Amino acid sequence: MVRVALLISMLIVSSIACMVSEESVTNHAGSSTTPSLLTNASLAVELTPVLVTPQSTEVPLIVKPTIPTPTPEIKAVPEEAKPTAVQKEVKTVSAPASPSWGEVITGTPPVYAAMDIDQSTIDLATKWYNVATDAWGNYGPTEIYIIGTDIEAARQIEDEFCDRHKKLDSGWKTEWDCANANYPLFTRYAKEGSAGVSTYNRDYLNYYFTTVSLSTQRPSPDEEDYKVVTMHEYFHVYQHAHISDTDVNGDKTGRENKSGGEGKPWFAEGTAEFFAQLLYSRQPGVRANYLEEIMTRKYTSSINGYLAYDKGLKDLSYADPVACSWGYECWFDTYGVGTWFIAYLVDQVGEETVRVDYYKDLDELGFEASFVKHFQKSSDEMVRDFDVFLSGGLNEALKILP
């Protein structure tokens, strides 16, 4: 009897020890103080965005796609990959009580990188994103996506984007918001390159946000323009943060009208490009004649064609020539003309008036009323004066640059 009692006692103690061990593993997996960087394709643990303290040297959350396996496991982050400059806090993603559009946020947004993106590209993109937010304010909610040339890796990012937002937002509509054959969210960047911003301020959503998509083609991370393009795309986030209009039944008219006109890139792209180039020209180590060099290139490739074209600046659409920047054949570069218009506008009324004051009143007053209030002329009058200015030639034009 004594032996039986001892045997039963030992079995009970062993069972309790196993239960404690399982609880410890669960708690570690959900720990809010030791986030894991999942880069192994065999892992199936879903990652959640990380908020970091507002420091320009911070290391953002990097999320790599994962391939499901029957038994998930968590692997420790290699010592050299662990952030040391800041303390991260892991928070579970859940739908907010109400949409928060255009908020000033702290820290770098979560970065979702395709499997073929290396750490140096992630570091480069987040560095120049932070340069822009430090200069213009950090607006969100925003998600950053970095896409390489591997189409399957990009498709995996599309799938995880869809799954994550279905869980985040009960209003999410798979047929409209997730990638499909007619709506390639990220695979198009793997095929074609370039960069872009998408807004998710839609009438049926509970959570509004923007996405910044950066590719490794046209331009590549090895090109100087990659830094400028990253800041250019963030300026679009800044612009949209100052427009509260919600898309209704897919209609973006309100937002586009406040951006300079439906399908008209002259003002939105002009401001994004000029202020990105100007900010980059002011960074330590950038050559002194950088801005003059870039604006000369834009003038010589665009202005004569524009002045001879049968449309005015405000009427140019995305269907008109816009792609000279990366070597395609075209008559002139609409973005380049828009950039020169903003340079002219800044010379007329001041940098702060264009970049800050105008945008503060944009949402309430609308495009034209805010334009007139801060620039003292209608947009039509200002464009006519701009065209006269351009006819003075390159040397005269360069004199107005900051």
Side-chain angles (χ1 to χ4, degrees), residues 210-231:
T210 58
T211 62
V212 175
S213 300
L214 303 170
S215 75
T216 57
Q217 308 174 74
R218 295 196 295 269
S220 78
D222 295 331
E223 297 177 64
E224 186 174 42
D225 201 35
Y226 189 87
K227 305 166 186 177
V228 179
V229 166
T230 301
M231 296 191 292

Side-chain angles (χ1 to χ4, degrees), residues 189-208:
Y189 292 107
K191 295 175 182 178
E192 303 167 7
S194 193
V197 166
S198 295
T199 60
Y200 291 81
N201 188 331
R202 301 170 183 177
D203 55 338
Y204 54 85
L205 294 178
N206 300 309
Y207 177 62
Y208 300 164

Side-chain angles (χ1 to χ4, degrees), residues 335-373:
Y335 284 32
V337 182
T339 305
W340 263 107
F341 175 78
I342 300 302
Y344 173 77
L345 189 59
V346 166
D347 179 65
Q348 295 294 299
V349 302
E351 181 181 339
E352 192 83 357
T353 302
V354 179
R355 185 179 58 79
V356 179
D357 299 340
Y358 161 80
Y359 281 102
K360 282 183 178 179
D361 285 326
L362 174 61
D363 200 37
E364 180 179 352
L365 299 180
F367 177 83
E368 190 65 26
S370 187
F371 194 105
V372 171
K373 176 181 176 179

